[in-house]
Amino acid sequence: MNQPSESKHLNLRSLTTDLLEKWVKNARLAPSGGNARPWEVIVKRDGPPSLEMSIRSSYINSRSPMDLDLSSSVVALGCLAKTLQSLAALDGYDAQYSISNPRNDLETGQVYIQFFYRDLIHPDYSLDTLEKRRTCRTPLSTEPLNKSERDSFYSISEIYSLLRLKNLTEVRKDVVAHLVELERIRWSNRVFLDGLFDEINFSAVKDPEAVGIRISDLGLNLPDRMLFYALHRTSQLRDLLRPALTVIAPKKSIAALLERSGGLFFLQVEENNFPSLFQLGWCFQNLWLEATKLSLGFQPVSPTLIAYNYWQTRNRQIFNDKDRETVESQSTILKDRFNLDTKKYVIGFRVGHQPR
């Protein structure tokens, strides 16, 4: 699921740039924050065909407020790489990656991927699973996951030495209140609120190449969708309704959905560096595909990243005094009571059976 370990079984038979380009095209819908697709992928033709991946410069200059230090972009590179590995496996190839990061920063790090033909490769996921992977933004069954489903997540996460998977299903009612407090910042803080609406694609024409989350994919009922259209068009309306949104939206987008699920998990890095963040992305996509394979609904849970962005930047132009007080108090509680360290990159996901 990670890298090929026995190179004596690998070769470069019949690998073409056309095949590489097909995988890259089909992988474009890999997960990324706000569907921003912050990556640049170059097909290398000098020598054995391979791929070079990095964060594209145009995104760096217009990054999301939820990605202030570019950590989520590195995570997105990992999600993309796992998607490419899964697509390549369907054509009989395995993937091996290496990371170049001489400046030890997130902005200039690069990932190189080579693909090797294997005679007896067994793909982890079918094309149907890859195409069906979606974010579930509707209520799920509260029936707990069975042991085999839980074990499948644990067995995947154990492959990745730089990460830890935490199951908070049993205490989710307790943790939800603290996640809601962090989520309020996304709606009360004008920078985060504007960033949220910048990530939504309000276009009436469905374009698979367009970035942003389509408003039709947000799971909104008709009145809420009309409200979002109005908030998108009129910034003054955002200011007028911000107090109400701050109270109502976190409960609808976080509390209600987390309570209507079969499990709540969090994936956390041991260290905030390029290799760990890239590995988290690879693992996160692996877990997401596994949930899809098991016919489970899956949705990322990201309020912890609001706190993480604060701790990484301490940006006083973005976080006001109330935000800082909220982040610091909630971070202390999350670490002391639930062993979630928001000073490290930690992202959650809710999962569960989809109601018939």
Side-chain angles (χ1 to χ4, degrees):
M1 293 180 182
N2 191 5
Q3 298 184 54
S5 56
E6 298 185 43
S7 58
K8 63 183 180 180
H9 297 303
L10 308 177
N11 62 69
L12 300 174
R13 190 176 78 183
S14 69
L15 180 58
T16 65
T17 55
D18 286 344
L19 194 54
L20 279 178
E21 289 170 351
K22 182 190 80 169
W23 298 337
V24 171
K25 179 180 179 180
N26 290 340
R28 70 188 184 280
L29 295 181
S32 60
N35 191 29
R37 303 179 201 172
W39 50 71
E40 179 178 24
V41 183
I42 298 174
V43 177
K44 305 290 286 184
R45 293 175 170 83
D46 50 337
S50 62
L51 297 178
E52 176 186 307
M53 299 166 47
S54 60
I55 304 172
R56 73 174 190 273
S57 59
S58 60
Y59 175 81
I60 292 172
N61 296 328
S62 60
R63 69 191 72 175
S64 164
M66 290 291 286
D67 192 19
L68 295 175
D69 75 333
L70 298 174
S71 289
S72 290
S73 293
V74 180
V75 171
L77 290 180
C79 291
L80 176 65
K82 174 57 188 176
T83 306
L84 287 165
Q85 184 256 353
S86 298
L87 288 166
L90 296 174
D91 287 321
Y93 288 83
D94 208 342
Q96 186 174 40
Y97 73 81
S98 61
I99 292 173
S100 174
N101 192 210
R103 284 173 44 180
N104 197 30
D105 66 0
L106 304 184
E107 182 173 331
T108 62
Q110 294 177 308
V111 180
Y112 301 93
I113 305 181
Q114 287 186 296
F115 297 91
F116 303 89
Y117 186 83
R118 297 183 68 173
D119 293 326
L120 299 174
I121 192 169
H122 298 287
D124 295 324
Y125 304 110
S126 67
L127 182 61
D128 183 62
T129 295
L130 288 162
E131 291 178 342
K132 283 184 176 179
R133 184 210 62 81
R134 292 288 185 274
T135 300
C136 178
R137 296 185 175 90
T138 56
L140 296 167
S141 169
T142 56
E143 175 189 354
L145 303 185
N146 61 44
K147 184 178 183 302
S148 65
E149 291 165 340
R150 294 194 304 272
D151 287 348
S152 68
F153 292 148
Y154 293 137
S155 63
I156 288 173
S157 66
E158 288 169 359
I159 299 171
Y160 305 93
S161 60
L162 305 178
L163 313 174
R164 294 293 179 270
L165 181 67
K166 305 172 189 293
N167 184 354
L168 297 187
T169 305
E170 296 299 322
V171 294
R172 66 181 168 186
K173 289 186 178 180
D174 296 323
V175 76
V176 160
H178 306 290
L179 296 177
V180 165
E181 289 305 308
L182 291 176
E183 182 68 11
R184 290 192 198 283
I185 296 174
R186 200 190 312 246
W187 295 88
S188 65
N189 183 301
R190 185 58 188 269
V191 173
F192 284 98
L193 184 60
D194 287 348
L196 174 65
F197 279 89
D198 287 342
E199 291 176 354
I200 301 174
N201 180 355
F202 289 90
S203 173
V205 179
K206 188 171 184 178
D207 179 2
E209 302 300 327
V211 299
I213 305 170
R214 286 189 56 79
I215 188 170
S216 58
D217 294 335
L218 291 178
L220 300 172
N221 57 34
L222 183 58
D224 285 346
R225 190 182 299 188
M226 293 300 100
L227 175 61
F228 268 54
Y229 274 115
L231 292 168
H232 168 62
R233 295 191 190 99
T234 311
S235 60
Q236 291 87 348
L237 188 61
R238 295 183 203 173
D239 286 330
L240 179 65
L241 296 182
R242 213 176 343 157
L245 291 171
T246 302
V247 173
I248 298 170
K251 293 180 180 179
K252 293 185 67 173
S253 62
I254 296 296
L257 291 179
L258 292 189
E259 291 169 3
R260 290 298 307 274
S261 62
L264 176 63
F265 296 82
F266 284 84
L267 193 61
Q268 180 173 295
V269 298
E270 291 293 296
E271 300 292 339
N272 297 322
N273 55 39
F274 196 104
S276 297
L277 293 164
F278 179 83
Q279 192 176 98
L280 185 144
W282 187 296
C283 180
F284 198 74
Q285 174 69 334
N286 202 345
L287 293 167
W288 200 334
L289 290 171
E290 185 68 16
T292 304
K293 181 179 177 180
L294 296 173
S295 299
L296 297 172
F298 185 105
Q299 181 184 20
V301 177
S302 61
T304 48
L305 298 183
I306 297 172
Y308 174 80
N309 276 279
Y310 165 76
W311 291 116
Q312 292 303 303
T313 66
R314 308 290 184 106
N315 190 322
R316 290 182 176 271
Q317 294 181 321
I318 295 178
F319 295 94
N320 58 40
D321 289 341
K322 185 177 181 180
D323 295 337
R324 292 196 293 272
E325 181 181 342
T326 298
V327 168
E328 291 176 5
S329 62
Q330 298 305 320
S331 293
T332 298
I333 295 170
L334 289 171
K335 186 174 183 181
D336 291 347
R337 292 184 58 188
F338 308 105
N339 197 26
L340 291 180
D341 187 356
T342 59
K343 293 183 180 179
K344 297 179 179 179
Y345 196 98
V346 53
I347 186 170
F349 60 92
R350 73 176 186 110
V351 66
H353 298 275
Q354 303 188 59
R356 293 183 177 86

